[in-house]
Amino acid sequence: TVNFTTAMTDANYSAVYGTQFDTSGSSNPNFIGLRATSGTVATKTTSAIRISTWTYVGAAVDTSNISVAIFR
């Protein structure tokens, strides 16, 4: 979760994110995106955005680096 020190006026902002390629020897990619719980839609709020990474089969995975930029 990325928490904003100062809340946005609304949730109409853009988030750009990326992660470092997995160097563990696997040729399978990891993915990064907005995080949602099962059965819900991922939403951005005025105070935070939740981002997660997962493997190509959908399992949660930790990555070495994640970069996030917010544009309003």
Side-chain angles (χ1 to χ4, degrees):
T1 301
V2 177
N3 295 302
F4 306 138
T5 302
T6 303
M8 301 283 185
T9 56
D10 55 43
N12 294 329
Y13 55 85
S14 176
V16 180
Y17 33 81
T19 183
Q20 180 176 339
F21 183 75
D22 177 18
T23 58
S24 66
S26 171
S27 61
N28 299 314
N30 289 335
F31 300 94
I32 184 170
L34 296 178
R35 181 175 179 192
T37 56
S38 180
T40 64
V41 176
T43 58
K44 302 180 295 185
T45 69
T46 59
S47 60
I49 186 170
R50 296 185 74 186
I51 297 170
S52 66
T53 55
W54 60 94
T55 66
Y56 74 103
V57 294
V61 64
D62 287 331
T63 58
S64 300
N65 296 298
I66 294 176
S67 300
V68 179
I70 306 295
F71 297 94
R72 173 89 175 117

